[in-house]
Amino acid sequence: MARKILCVAEKPSIAKAVAQHMSGGRYQSCPITGSKYVRNYEFDFTFGPPWGHRTVVMTSVLGHLTSLEFEDQYRPWRSCPPFQLFDAPTITYVDKDKKPIAKNIEIQARSSDVLFIWTDCDREGEHIGTEIRSAAFKGNARLQVKRAKFSNIERAHVLQAAQRPVNVDERQANAVAARIELDLRIGVAFTRMQTLNLQTLGPELENMIVSYGSCQFPTLGFVVDRYFRVKNFLLEPFWSINVTHQREDIPVKFHWNRNHLFDRMAVTVLYERCLLAKVAVVTKMQTRPTSKWRPLPLTTLELQKMGTRFLRMDSKRVMEVAEFLYTKGFISYPRTETDQFDPGMDLKKLVEKQTVDNRWGSYAQNLLGGAFCQPRSGPHNDKAHPPIHPVSYVAPTSLESDDHRRVYEFVARRFLACCSEDAKGESTTIEIGYGEETFHASGLIVRERNYLDVYPYDKWESSQKLPQFRMGERFVPTEAKMSEGKTGPPGYLTEPDLLALMDANGIGTDATMADHIEKVKNREYVMTRGGNEGGGDEDDGEGNIGSGRGGGRGRGGRGRARGGRGGGGRGGSTRGGSSRQEFIPTTLGVALVEGYDAVGFETSLSKPFLRKEMELKMKEICAGTKSRNDVVHESLEQYREVFVTASQQIDVLKSACRKYIFNNGQA
């Protein structure tokens, strides 16, 4: 009798969807003992050679099965000097609430001879796959192990993945294992060192856990750096010359080519020369076609940035909703760096599925009628997943919340915009000479809106039409005046700004950036303003630091960014009430950054360089140019050196905390 094939997905919803497709809806289902979320699905399926027609048991985990922790004697906070944690022995164990799930896999493996892993096809998914494999090997060490490679749970795609399995990518799994170990050792060592030293300063900190994470601190550093750029900005007066001419009842404003100067006397002299000249001369006229490019295919980072800007929710909530839409089979896998569609994808078939919508259905039908254009190709391809796109149509009434409706609508509209023509228009520029100065006026007429008709998130509007001028024409301007202004400070960081900085500096991955932002908010190192989110006092209008003190939360506040996916619990993020949330550091956040910056490290902990270098090493593991052990050793040595310096100069950090937390910013 042929033995079974055991299939294990990363989430119960994926297991159910895959079982539905592979069985054609004809399966037997039963819950497993000890978990209310996980079920086993049994059915028959015909695989390709060498397996053929077999009985399948499909089940799932809830994210990561295992955790890495120090051995028991090192877990109490005062069990050893924090420095020893860089070398202390660790153990990998199955979390208590995951033991029934691991046991289920072990039991099912006993009657199976093949294990198919159906985890998400990214680094984290590969590591979870190795955890599933370890659990299965306890039941049957002779199992053949394969993994299904898929990027959405549309039926044809799932069946193709079942027929064409690949091997587990050990390199990607090793990269995650290296990061988990580094985050544990570095995070716990620095967190204990900071906390035990800073708790002695006074009542404001005596019960706080001042956690550290190698991604969180650079994220905090970006917020603090921008805060001080705003706070320390010195306004500087400038002067400019403005010329207006009324023609055909249209006031045409000509802008000075110099824009403005900071020397009042020089501008006064130039202005007087203009007045003495009296007559302006048209020196240049140019009318040319112009375009506004349709957007690139959608990546995770772009989804998060656009979501925080236009969909009124923070990046973590955007990703929670996108994950839900993916597990329901409505959109493709939402964690991807790819911004180019494979030429072989049948995009028109995907467009056709959108024709039933009463908002953009007619636009989709027009694309199929001849307006379809192959999407632009961006520079990124992670070789794992296509850009985010709608896989199937879902009516808004079938989605459970406004958040789900907005995210699905954005993904659908973005995809249709990608498959459209660029918007086309005509721009006109007129230059005049007035005295010894040159001024210009510009106008735009949008001739063909094209993708803009389906994509309201981009704006490109016609300006007032410029009246007729002739080359060489001379006229007396209706008005010329000299005006005064002042330079303005940059704005505080918004979430799209922060995501862009993290991406440019290699802090986290597109899949974990939202988690790092959420952590610095939850630990009250930063707070947001501008909407309905809680988390601290409003800025008083004068750029004062938020009054939150900070503190760790969850699992002892160790400050390690495990980056993992685990459990069926709901995320703790809230939806912002505004499309513009500004990040303001708390007093503790400023104290930590300024304190570490003052220590005099060659590379400060608040700067992105150490973590960026670590991320590059993870990529080297994936490429096979470095081993997991080499990367762990090299990175620990770098952070060990920083740790020693920070410990020796802990009084500098204490001084910064006294200044900002206890003395209201006064040294």
Side-chain angles (χ1 to χ4, degrees):
M1 178 179 175
R3 294 168 72 85
K4 298 175 183 176
I5 290 182
L6 172 61
C7 295
V8 185
E10 188 172 321
K11 310 174 187 72
S13 57
I14 298 295
K16 182 177 181 180
V18 172
Q20 176 76 24
H21 292 322
M22 292 179 68
S23 69
R26 297 182 295 274
Y27 57 73
Q28 292 182 329
S29 169
C30 64
I32 72 166
T33 303
S35 175
K36 62 181 180 180
Y37 299 110
V38 176
R39 301 181 71 87
N40 292 341
Y41 302 87
E42 187 166 325
F43 53 90
D44 290 341
F45 182 78
T46 302
F47 293 88
W51 304 295
H53 192 78
R54 300 287 287 273
T55 297
V56 178
V57 174
M58 166 66 75
T59 188
S60 75
V61 292
L62 295 171
H64 281 281
L65 269 179
T66 64
S67 293
L68 185 72
E69 186 56 273
F70 293 110
E71 291 186 354
D72 289 347
Q73 65 267 36
Y74 294 94
R75 294 190 190 183
W77 275 66
R78 299 181 184 274
S79 60
C80 66
F83 178 79
Q84 291 184 13
L85 298 175
F86 282 90
D87 301 301
T90 59
I91 56 170
T92 299
Y93 65 97
V94 176
D95 296 315
K96 183 178 180 181
D97 60 332
K98 307 290 181 66
K99 286 184 177 180
I101 300 171
K103 189 65 177 178
N104 177 56
I105 293 171
E106 178 184 337
I107 292 170
Q108 296 301 325
R110 291 172 188 164
S111 57
S112 305
D113 61 352
V114 184
L115 169 66
F116 266 50
I117 293 168
W118 287 80
T119 53
D120 293 341
C121 293
D122 57 12
R123 273 194 215 169
E124 210 76 27
E126 297 298 330
H127 190 271
I128 295 171
T130 62
E131 296 174 7
I132 293 169
R133 181 178 63 189
S134 296
F137 277 174
K138 290 183 178 179
N140 181 0
R142 297 183 301 278
L143 276 174
Q144 182 182 6
V145 181
K146 307 297 284 186
R147 78 109 72 234
K149 192 173 179 65
F150 64 106
S151 59
N152 65 68
I153 54 171
E154 189 265 334
R155 182 176 183 274
H157 190 70
V158 166
L159 297 181
Q160 183 182 65
Q163 297 288 357
R164 301 178 183 176
V166 298
N167 294 322
V168 174
D169 190 329
E170 303 291 347
R171 293 172 178 174
Q172 289 200 58
N174 284 335
V176 174
R179 178 191 49 74
I180 289 174
E181 181 176 354
L182 289 169
D183 286 348
L184 172 69
R185 293 187 183 280
I186 296 167
V188 178
F190 274 94
T191 295
R192 289 189 190 178
M193 183 270 289
Q194 290 176 170
T195 301
L196 295 175
N197 279 283
L198 298 182
Q199 281 182 342
T200 63
L201 294 180
E204 286 89 342
L205 292 176
E206 65 181 355
N207 295 316
M208 292 294 180
I209 295 174
V210 187
S211 63
Y212 172 84
S214 58
C215 281
Q216 298 147 42
F217 260 52
T219 302
L220 169 62
F222 292 135
V223 175
V224 174
D225 178 69
R226 178 62 66 88
Y227 166 78
F228 277 113
R229 284 179 59 193
V230 175
K231 184 178 177 64
N232 297 332
F233 188 87
L234 297 177
L235 299 179
E236 191 173 1
F238 61 79
W239 292 265
S240 61
I241 303 170
N242 302 304
V243 175
T244 304
H245 187 62
Q246 188 90 8
R247 175 167 292 187
E248 301 172 10
D249 295 327
I250 299 173
V252 183
K253 294 183 178 180
F254 291 91
H255 303 281
W256 194 18
N257 280 17
R258 296 180 190 262
N259 193 14
H260 59 250
L261 297 176
F262 294 98
D263 187 328
R264 183 178 185 277
M265 184 57 67
V267 176
T268 301
V269 170
L270 296 173
Y271 173 61
E272 290 177 347
R273 288 177 181 174
C274 291
L275 296 180
L276 288 172
K278 294 184 180 180
V279 176
V281 181
V282 177
T283 58
K284 180 181 177 182
M285 291 188 62
Q286 184 180 59
T287 299
R288 59 184 178 83
T290 186
S291 299
K292 184 170 179 61
W293 289 351
R294 62 197 185 277
L296 286 168
L298 187 60
T299 64
T300 303
L301 180 62
E302 182 71 3
L303 173 62
Q304 292 175 93
K305 288 164 64 176
M306 296 294 284
T308 59
R309 186 173 288 131
F310 294 109
L311 306 184
R312 303 194 304 279
M313 58 187 87
D314 63 31
S315 57
K316 186 170 179 61
R317 177 59 179 162
V318 170
M319 292 309 298
E320 289 171 352
V321 173
E323 286 276 0
F324 174 86
L325 295 173
Y326 160 67
T327 59
K328 292 297 183 181
F330 300 141
I331 68 173
S332 62
Y333 188 58
R335 300 182 186 274
T336 177
E337 298 175 10
T338 301
D339 54 11
Q340 51 186 256
F341 282 106
D342 188 290
M345 281 189 70
D346 188 354
L347 301 182
K348 288 186 178 181
K349 183 177 179 181
L350 296 173
V351 171
E352 185 178 6
K353 294 181 179 181
Q354 298 298 320
T355 57
V356 297
D357 188 86
N358 59 13
R359 294 159 295 174
W360 57 77
S362 59
Y363 186 91
Q365 192 65 56
N366 185 54
L367 291 181
L368 296 176
F372 177 88
C373 285
Q374 187 66 24
R376 296 164 56 205
S377 288
H380 306 106
N381 191 336
D382 61 18
K383 306 294 184 183
H385 301 287
I388 303 166
H389 61 274
V391 174
S392 60
Y393 177 73
V394 56
T397 52
S398 299
L399 293 172
E400 63 181 43
S401 75
D402 284 342
D403 286 355
H404 294 81
R405 286 185 277 274
R406 281 198 297 270
V407 172
Y408 180 81
E409 177 178 349
F410 174 77
V411 171
R413 288 183 180 274
R414 175 72 172 233
F415 173 69
L416 295 175
C418 289
C419 298
S420 305
E421 285 195 63
D422 299 335
K424 297 177 181 178
E426 188 177 85
S427 68
T428 300
T429 301
I430 301 172
E431 279 193 1
I432 62 171
Y434 188 34
E436 298 178 6
E437 299 305 301
T438 303
F439 300 81
H440 66 274
S442 299
L444 170 70
I445 298 175
V446 177
R447 300 290 188 190
E448 299 175 32
R449 287 180 53 81
N450 295 330
Y451 88 89
L452 293 170
D453 285 333
V454 78
Y455 195 69
Y457 315 101
D458 274 358
K459 300 297 181 186
W460 202 48
E461 305 289 347
S462 295
S463 63
Q464 190 173 30
K465 185 178 180 180
L466 292 177
Q468 287 294 318
F469 286 87
R470 299 186 310 277
M471 186 68 179
E473 177 184 350
R474 301 167 67 84
F475 63 90
V476 178
T478 306
E479 181 183 54
K481 64 180 181 179
M482 181 173 159
S483 61
E484 181 179 355
K486 290 183 179 179
T487 56
Y492 293 109
L493 284 182
T494 62
E495 194 154 355
D497 297 332
L498 185 53
L499 287 164
L501 282 171
M502 294 172 72
D503 178 56
N505 289 277
I507 300 304
T509 65
D510 55 358
T512 61
M513 289 178 194
D515 292 328
H516 301 317
I517 293 173
E518 189 72 9
K519 282 187 174 74
V520 296
K521 289 162 62 178
N522 286 343
R523 283 162 185 159
E524 298 175 32
Y525 294 165
V526 305
M527 60 188 185
T528 57
R529 68 172 191 179
N532 296 327
E533 283 192 46
D537 298 338
E538 288 283 346
D539 187 286
D540 64 5
E542 298 181 353
N544 290 338
I545 306 170
S547 61
R549 298 297 187 215
R553 292 183 181 176
R555 299 217 54 182
R558 293 190 180 97
R560 66 180 187 268
R562 300 183 63 162
R565 302 183 286 259
R570 299 180 67 87
S573 63
T574 57
R575 196 184 86 199
S578 166
S579 60
R580 181 180 175 85
Q581 291 286 314
E582 294 181 327
F583 287 83
I584 309 293
T586 63
T587 52
L588 178 57
V590 171
L592 291 171
V593 170
E594 185 166 295
Y596 277 125
D597 285 352
V599 165
F601 297 120
E602 184 175 333
T603 303
S604 175
L605 291 175
S606 70
K607 305 304 180 192
F609 309 116
L610 281 173
R611 182 67 195 202
K612 183 175 185 178
E613 187 173 343
M614 188 190 298
E615 289 290 346
L616 291 174
K617 289 176 180 176
M618 299 303 157
K619 291 182 179 179
E620 290 185 279
I621 296 176
C622 294
T625 57
K626 281 195 175 178
S627 71
R628 168 187 169 183
N629 290 338
D630 288 343
V631 167
V632 169
H633 175 74
E634 291 172 10
S635 298
L636 285 179
E637 288 306 305
Q638 284 182 303
Y639 276 93
R640 193 195 309 266
E641 183 178 339
V642 174
F643 183 92
V644 170
T645 303
S647 299
Q648 292 171 342
Q649 300 192 44
I650 193 65
D651 287 342
V652 176
L653 184 59
K654 289 182 176 180
S655 177
C657 289
R658 291 190 187 98
K659 174 182 176 181
Y660 286 101
I661 299 174
F662 300 98
N663 297 334
N664 219 13
Q666 303 299 315

